[in-house]
Amino acid sequence: MGKNNTEQLKKIKDEILGLKESPLYEYRIKSKYFPVIGEGNHYAKIMFIGEAPGENEAKKGRPFCGAAGRILDELFESINVERNSAYITNIIKDRPPGNRDPLPSEIELYSPFLDRQIEIIKPQTLVTLGRFSMRYILEKFDLPEKTESISVLHGKVLKANASYATISIIPLFHPAVAIYTAKSKEVLKKDFQILKDFA
Ligand code: URA
């Protein structure tokens, strides 16, 4: 028997803790930040993939625990699903300075950890939050929709062949867009409703 999911995920955490080759490693140490590996059910049916930790997340080592996280909490509540029944992670596991967009080289460095998390947990559904994780996942599974924009694809259910099953991919807008605009929050709330059928 192979190692259980928790042990395999712990190994990823240990590797990232020692990831000195990352351009974000020194900034993490200097700022007394933590890497954010992921949180939730290690056997989840549904995995949420955000972009990168913000300041709150890096201070606590937990994904989506700041303003965007409060929106995400509300969205889970609106469909009566426990946030902890899902697994929540990001493509980039360390905070980029000033919350700037992730660089292609950072996506290249950190995405193999996300790939491994997907292979370990084997979720039936991947929900991407924002355009960076959407783009990465659509390219990874080589979907015909991979060049479409998030304004076209948000809230749609796409099918992909993972190594372990045919899975659903559901692109959503990033919850941070809803912090200041009520209209985006309504769109997110509406899109989130379809997750009831997948949770
Ligand atoms: N934004 C993200 O993309 N991820 C987090 O964990 C927090 C904010």
Side-chain angles (χ1 to χ4, degrees), residues 85-103:
S85 66
Y87 190 79
I88 301 178
T89 186
N90 291 300
I91 315 189
I92 307 292
K93 314 298 195 195
D94 280 297
R95 183 189 180 215
N99 297 340
R100 64 156 169 73
D101 287 347
L103 302 174

mmCIF file of all heavy atoms in Angstrom, residues 85-103:
data_model
loop_
_atom_site.group_PDB
_atom_site.id
_atom_site.type_symbol
_atom_site.label_atom_id
_atom_site.label_comp_id
_atom_site.label_asym_id
_atom_site.label_seq_id
_atom_site.Cartn_x
_atom_site.Cartn_y
_atom_site.Cartn_z
ATOM 1 N N SER A 85 -15.143 20.786 3.454
ATOM 2 C CA SER A 85 -15.377 19.540 2.709
ATOM 3 C C SER A 85 -14.588 19.563 1.403
ATOM 4 O O SER A 85 -14.378 18.544 0.762
ATOM 5 C CB SER A 85 -16.868 19.357 2.427
ATOM 6 O OG SER A 85 -17.311 20.375 1.531
ATOM 7 N N ALA A 86 -14.150 20.761 0.997
ATOM 8 C CA ALA A 86 -13.370 20.920 -0.234
ATOM 9 C C ALA A 86 -11.888 21.024 0.122
ATOM 10 O O ALA A 86 -11.522 21.085 1.302
ATOM 11 C CB ALA A 86 -13.808 22.186 -0.957
ATOM 12 N N TYR A 87 -11.020 20.998 -0.885
ATOM 13 C CA TYR A 87 -9.598 21.307 -0.670
ATOM 14 C C TYR A 87 -9.332 22.623 -1.396
ATOM 15 O O TYR A 87 -9.731 22.789 -2.554
ATOM 16 C CB TYR A 87 -8.705 20.196 -1.203
ATOM 17 C CG TYR A 87 -7.248 20.365 -0.790
ATOM 18 C CD1 TYR A 87 -6.823 20.008 0.487
ATOM 19 C CD2 TYR A 87 -6.312 20.909 -1.668
ATOM 20 C CE1 TYR A 87 -5.503 20.174 0.891
ATOM 21 C CE2 TYR A 87 -4.981 21.081 -1.279
ATOM 22 C CZ TYR A 87 -4.588 20.712 0.004
ATOM 23 O OH TYR A 87 -3.281 20.879 0.399
ATOM 24 N N ILE A 88 -8.686 23.555 -0.699
ATOM 25 C CA ILE A 88 -8.455 24.888 -1.270
ATOM 26 C C ILE A 88 -6.961 25.164 -1.336
ATOM 27 O O ILE A 88 -6.243 25.029 -0.335
ATOM 28 C CB ILE A 88 -9.160 25.965 -0.406
ATOM 29 C CG1 ILE A 88 -10.661 25.655 -0.350
ATOM 30 C CG2 ILE A 88 -8.907 27.357 -0.973
ATOM 31 C CD1 ILE A 88 -11.462 26.606 0.498
ATOM 32 N N THR A 89 -6.501 25.519 -2.525
ATOM 33 C CA THR A 89 -5.073 25.785 -2.693
ATOM 34 C C THR A 89 -4.882 26.893 -3.726
ATOM 35 O O THR A 89 -5.840 27.530 -4.168
ATOM 36 C CB THR A 89 -4.313 24.478 -3.051
ATOM 37 O OG1 THR A 89 -2.913 24.735 -3.062
ATOM 38 C CG2 THR A 89 -4.739 23.925 -4.404
ATOM 39 N N ASN A 90 -3.651 27.148 -4.082
ATOM 40 C CA ASN A 90 -3.295 28.165 -5.081
ATOM 41 C C ASN A 90 -2.257 27.571 -6.033
ATOM 42 O O ASN A 90 -1.634 26.567 -5.716
ATOM 43 C CB ASN A 90 -2.648 29.371 -4.383
ATOM 44 C CG ASN A 90 -3.629 30.164 -3.535
ATOM 45 O OD1 ASN A 90 -4.618 30.675 -4.025
ATOM 46 N ND2 ASN A 90 -3.341 30.259 -2.239
ATOM 47 N N ILE A 91 -2.047 28.256 -7.179
ATOM 48 C CA ILE A 91 -0.940 27.799 -8.038
ATOM 49 C C ILE A 91 0.372 28.160 -7.370
ATOM 50 O O ILE A 91 1.271 27.342 -7.253
ATOM 51 C CB ILE A 91 -0.854 28.492 -9.425
ATOM 52 C CG1 ILE A 91 -2.188 28.597 -10.114
ATOM 53 C CG2 ILE A 91 0.166 27.773 -10.301
ATOM 54 C CD1 ILE A 91 -2.003 29.083 -11.568
ATOM 55 N N ILE A 92 0.492 29.411 -6.960
ATOM 56 C CA ILE A 92 1.737 29.906 -6.368
ATOM 57 C C ILE A 92 1.636 29.737 -4.852
ATOM 58 O O ILE A 92 0.646 30.152 -4.251
ATOM 59 C CB ILE A 92 1.922 31.410 -6.717
ATOM 60 C CG1 ILE A 92 1.805 31.645 -8.227
ATOM 61 C CG2 ILE A 92 3.237 31.942 -6.164
ATOM 62 C CD1 ILE A 92 2.911 31.078 -9.056
ATOM 63 N N LYS A 93 2.627 29.131 -4.253
ATOM 64 C CA LYS A 93 2.519 28.807 -2.816
ATOM 65 C C LYS A 93 3.180 29.846 -1.897
ATOM 66 O O LYS A 93 3.069 29.721 -0.673
ATOM 67 C CB LYS A 93 3.133 27.423 -2.530
ATOM 68 C CG LYS A 93 2.726 26.314 -3.494
ATOM 69 C CD LYS A 93 1.239 26.011 -3.491
ATOM 70 C CE LYS A 93 0.951 24.668 -4.190
ATOM 71 N NZ LYS A 93 -0.483 24.529 -4.516
ATOM 72 N N ASP A 94 3.892 30.805 -2.449
ATOM 73 C CA ASP A 94 4.480 31.876 -1.639
ATOM 74 C C ASP A 94 3.930 33.217 -2.109
ATOM 75 O O ASP A 94 3.588 33.383 -3.284
ATOM 76 C CB ASP A 94 6.015 31.882 -1.774
ATOM 77 C CG ASP A 94 6.666 30.826 -0.898
ATOM 78 O OD1 ASP A 94 6.533 30.911 0.347
ATOM 79 O OD2 ASP A 94 7.303 29.901 -1.456
ATOM 80 N N ARG A 95 3.889 34.191 -1.196
ATOM 81 C CA ARG A 95 3.328 35.500 -1.543
ATOM 82 C C ARG A 95 4.251 36.311 -2.452
ATOM 83 O O ARG A 95 5.401 36.566 -2.093
ATOM 84 C CB ARG A 95 3.078 36.316 -0.281
ATOM 85 C CG ARG A 95 2.441 37.644 -0.623
ATOM 86 C CD ARG A 95 2.356 38.602 0.540
ATOM 87 N NE ARG A 95 1.723 39.832 0.063
ATOM 88 C CZ ARG A 95 2.017 41.046 0.475
ATOM 89 N NH1 ARG A 95 2.904 41.231 1.416
ATOM 90 N NH2 ARG A 95 1.411 42.093 -0.045
ATOM 91 N N PRO A 96 3.756 36.718 -3.627
ATOM 92 C CA PRO A 96 4.556 37.639 -4.446
ATOM 93 C C PRO A 96 4.516 39.037 -3.800
ATOM 94 O O PRO A 96 3.462 39.449 -3.318
ATOM 95 C CB PRO A 96 3.840 37.653 -5.798
ATOM 96 C CG PRO A 96 2.872 36.499 -5.763
ATOM 97 C CD PRO A 96 2.539 36.293 -4.320
ATOM 98 N N PRO A 97 5.623 39.762 -3.783
ATOM 99 C CA PRO A 97 5.648 41.082 -3.141
ATOM 100 C C PRO A 97 4.566 42.001 -3.707
ATOM 101 O O PRO A 97 4.349 42.045 -4.919
ATOM 102 C CB PRO A 97 7.038 41.630 -3.492
ATOM 103 C CG PRO A 97 7.850 40.450 -3.887
ATOM 104 C CD PRO A 97 6.908 39.404 -4.390
ATOM 105 N N GLY A 98 3.881 42.716 -2.816
ATOM 106 C CA GLY A 98 2.887 43.701 -3.236
ATOM 107 C C GLY A 98 1.704 43.122 -3.986
ATOM 108 O O GLY A 98 1.037 43.841 -4.720
ATOM 109 N N ASN A 99 1.458 41.830 -3.824
ATOM 110 C CA ASN A 99 0.342 41.155 -4.512
ATOM 111 C C ASN A 99 0.387 41.315 -6.030
ATOM 112 O O ASN A 99 -0.646 41.324 -6.686
ATOM 113 C CB ASN A 99 -1.021 41.665 -4.020
ATOM 114 C CG ASN A 99 -1.249 41.375 -2.558
ATOM 115 O OD1 ASN A 99 -0.594 40.492 -1.979
ATOM 116 N ND2 ASN A 99 -2.134 42.115 -1.950
ATOM 117 N N ARG A 100 1.582 41.470 -6.583
ATOM 118 C CA ARG A 100 1.664 41.574 -8.047
ATOM 119 C C ARG A 100 1.261 40.242 -8.682
ATOM 120 O O ARG A 100 1.217 39.220 -8.018
ATOM 121 C CB ARG A 100 3.084 41.974 -8.472
ATOM 122 C CG ARG A 100 4.150 40.953 -8.126
ATOM 123 C CD ARG A 100 5.365 41.090 -9.022
ATOM 124 N NE ARG A 100 6.476 40.289 -8.522
ATOM 125 C CZ ARG A 100 6.537 38.973 -8.581
ATOM 126 N NH1 ARG A 100 5.545 38.277 -9.088
ATOM 127 N NH2 ARG A 100 7.603 38.331 -8.123
ATOM 128 N N ASP A 101 0.955 40.305 -9.993
ATOM 129 C CA ASP A 101 0.607 39.087 -10.730
ATOM 130 C C ASP A 101 1.774 38.108 -10.681
ATOM 131 O O ASP A 101 2.935 38.517 -10.688
ATOM 132 C CB ASP A 101 0.331 39.423 -12.206
ATOM 133 C CG ASP A 101 -0.995 40.145 -12.396
ATOM 134 O OD1 ASP A 101 -1.811 40.171 -11.446
ATOM 135 O OD2 ASP A 101 -1.205 40.679 -13.502
ATOM 136 N N PRO A 102 1.465 36.812 -10.665
ATOM 137 C CA PRO A 102 2.563 35.831 -10.707
ATOM 138 C C PRO A 102 3.310 35.901 -12.037
ATOM 139 O O PRO A 102 2.703 36.144 -13.081
ATOM 140 C CB PRO A 102 1.864 34.481 -10.565
ATOM 141 C CG PRO A 102 0.412 34.718 -10.539
ATOM 142 C CD PRO A 102 0.139 36.182 -10.577
ATOM 143 N N LEU A 103 4.608 35.693 -11.998
ATOM 144 C CA LEU A 103 5.415 35.674 -13.222
ATOM 145 C C LEU A 103 5.339 34.284 -13.842
ATOM 146 O O LEU A 103 5.183 33.291 -13.128
ATOM 147 C CB LEU A 103 6.879 35.978 -12.886
ATOM 148 C CG LEU A 103 7.161 37.307 -12.186
ATOM 149 C CD1 LEU A 103 8.636 37.394 -11.789
ATOM 150 C CD2 LEU A 103 6.778 38.449 -13.118
#
